[in-house]
Amino acid sequence: MALNGDAGRFMTPAFILVRPQLAENVGTAARAMMNCALDDMRLVDPDEDHLCSRAVAASSGAEEILYHAKVFKTVADAVADLQKVYATTGRSRDMIKPVFTGQGMAKDILEHEQKGIKCGVLFGPERTGLENDDLAYADVIVNIPLNPRHSSLNLAQAVLLTGYELFHLSDTTQDKFLSMPKTEPANKQETEHLFAHLEQELEKAGYFKSPEKKPRMMLNLRNIFMRAELTSQDVRTLHGVITDLSRG
Amino acid sequence: MALNGDAGRFMTPAFILVRPQLAENVGTAARAMMNCALDDMRLVDPDEDHLCSRAVAASSGAEEILYHAKVFKTVADAVADLQKVYATTGRSRDMIKPVFTGQGMAKDILEHEQKGIKCGVLFGPERTGLENDDLAYADVIVNIPLNPRHSSLNLAQAVLLTGYELFHLSDTTQDKFLSMPKTEPANKQETEHLFAHLEQELEKAGYFKSPEKKPRMMLNLRNIFMRAELTSQDVRTLHGVITDLSRG
């Protein structure tokens, strides 16, 4: 499966749902995996059929993840081909294993995948989470930092945050401080004409009560409109506003 | 409400759900807000009662967020006291506004809140998302980068990822490369005794076929156990293993 147009750009660890109880949750988890361009879903001894109509409906269009999911009897079978296994858990454990944040896990998986090491992430059943016997297969515990007063996540939300950390690390989207799909920024001649028009009408209207304050007042007005980063269309709109206002 | 023991550490922008359709989704969104230590939920013209039993059940223990939620008739009312408004949307819009990633939004909110500027984030109805009329109240569009082939999130998942970016930015949890809740790392005398015990028993068992290779073979074995970062208890366990194996 190629889940994005930029093959190989995103990480593809297996996401292993251990004894999931509800088919709906498996479906919602599939949707969350698809959101994060992950396609290797594995199920260990699920309580319900992951291809039932409730699961497919809950996947909201991500049913290809469900159709490609592999079902195993035991965690040992599900992780057999993996070289590094991470186990998500909200509880602190008396285990002598590294405990990573979501971001730490993502960086570690990226580093390992770049060396060709196949990774996977375990998620526990909805009600109880992973058992200690499941954690025995994990090299690293993953504990996503959240409000200590309320850190429990449902299965799909745990899958989403884990997947998001992975996606996020490979994503290169930048903030766009101003998006101008339709029109170009106005040039200085256009904005100067606008300010001249405004000044002329304000002058006529008696806005500048004292001549010595006029330069400062005009500068303030100019700065307001400069901050707005006007387009040519904005300038035309404002000419219309000034014309119509000054008519009244 | 003080949602965490570290008051003032986390950001507290308002999360404004615009015309949410299902009470369950409002409940799940409340849970996600609580996960991220956010407590200012606002609802604009919700289709269902946000305090109904379905909403409370879906909140999974975060019902205090629902009880404190404020309901408004219009987006204008809901954002009246806010100074900077962000609107989440999965679709690209023909609007001349900055478009930030989730992380860009979180950094921007942090910067503004540190100056005492009150911020809020708009989330649209489940089926349609925010209308252009709603976006008119926003200073910034937020577009969380996800798989372009499948970027649509349900309401609670959008709330969770947005809240997570905010929480994450203030969170200081470090990766723990090894957590040792019960016992201390073994000291060098303990590990040396272990290696001596191992070497002695291997010698007896005829493991070192050629004397000149023995130092290299022992070094390899030492390195394996050094990598395991043994505790005192581990060392005792391994002594038992060596003793019992060498008896056979």
Side-chain angles (χ1 to χ4, degrees), chain A residues 14-241:
Chain A
F15 269 32
I16 304 138
L17 310 190
V18 179
R19 300 181 301 278
Q21 299 172 290
L22 297 173
E24 286 86 345
N25 293 341
V26 177
T28 322
R31 178 183 183 174
M33 284 182 64
M34 185 92 167
N35 284 147
C36 304
L38 293 160
D39 59 7
D40 186 354
M41 176 185 260
R42 304 179 183 195
L43 302 167
V44 176
D45 190 22
D47 283 1
E48 301 192 315
D49 176 12
H50 68 286
L51 297 175
C52 73
S53 59
R54 285 177 292 120
V56 172
S59 78
S60 290
E63 61 271 7
E64 66 189 90
I65 306 283
L66 295 174
Y67 293 133
H68 284 81
K70 293 171 222 85
V71 180
F72 299 87
K73 279 196 181 147
T74 65
V75 175
D77 293 339
V79 301
D81 63 317
L82 304 178
Q83 292 161 283
K84 185 133 190 191
V85 175
Y86 304 74
T88 58
T89 166
R91 289 177 288 159
S92 71
R93 307 281 191 157
D94 283 345
M95 292 228 150
I96 301 174
K97 293 193 195 261
V99 180
F100 286 4
T101 64
Q103 192 175 43
M105 171 211 67
K107 286 179 182 164
D108 204 55
I109 289 178
L110 180 62
E111 202 175 291
H112 283 82
E113 289 209 348
Q114 282 170 343
K115 295 178 195 155
I117 291 168
K118 179 76 186 148
C119 301
V121 187
L122 297 170
F123 297 87
E126 293 88 327
R127 205 163 303 134
T128 56
L130 292 166
E131 308 281 332
N132 283 345
D133 285 352
D134 304 321
L135 296 179
Y137 296 96
D139 300 285
V140 174
I141 304 287
V142 180
N143 220 308
I144 297 180
L146 288 167
N147 183 358
R149 271 199 54 207
H150 197 87
S151 64
S152 102
L153 290 168
N154 73 32
L155 179 57
Q157 286 177 322
V159 167
L160 180 67
L161 287 189
T162 306
Y164 182 64
E165 285 285 12
L166 292 164
F167 188 90
H168 190 61
L169 203 62
S170 306
D171 179 64
T172 54
T173 311
Q174 298 291 314
D175 295 332
K176 294 180 206 73
F177 284 87
L178 204 63
S179 73
M180 300 205 174
K182 278 187 169 162
T183 171
E184 291 289 300
N187 65 31
K188 294 303 165 192
Q189 188 180 50
E190 290 172 314
T191 52
E192 286 310 306
H193 282 166
L194 178 69
F195 297 143
H197 183 189
L198 180 64
E199 182 174 341
Q200 178 194 325
E201 293 300 339
L202 288 174
E203 186 78 75
K204 282 194 214 161
Y207 175 78
F208 304 110
K209 300 277 189 291
S210 93
E212 72 273 18
K213 286 191 182 157
K214 183 179 158 182
R216 162 62 59 186
M217 290 166 85
M218 266 316 292
L219 187 61
N220 287 343
L221 286 168
R222 288 174 71 101
N223 283 343
I224 290 171
F225 288 105
M226 295 294 278
R227 280 203 306 274
E229 301 184 55
L230 301 173
T231 66
S232 303
Q233 180 55 52
D234 293 332
V235 168
R236 289 192 289 276
T237 302
L238 288 169
H239 275 296
V241 168

Side-chain angles (χ1 to χ4, degrees), chain B residues 210-223:
Chain B
S210 93
E212 71 274 16
K213 285 190 181 159
K214 184 178 158 184
R216 163 59 62 187
M217 290 167 87
M218 266 316 292
L219 187 62
N220 286 343
L221 286 168
R222 288 175 71 100
N223 284 342

Side-chain angles (χ1 to χ4, degrees), chain B residues 43-63:
Chain B
L43 302 167
V44 176
D45 190 24
D47 282 3
E48 300 192 315
D49 177 12
H50 67 287
L51 297 176
C52 74
S53 58
R54 285 178 291 121
V56 172
S59 79
S60 290
E63 61 271 7

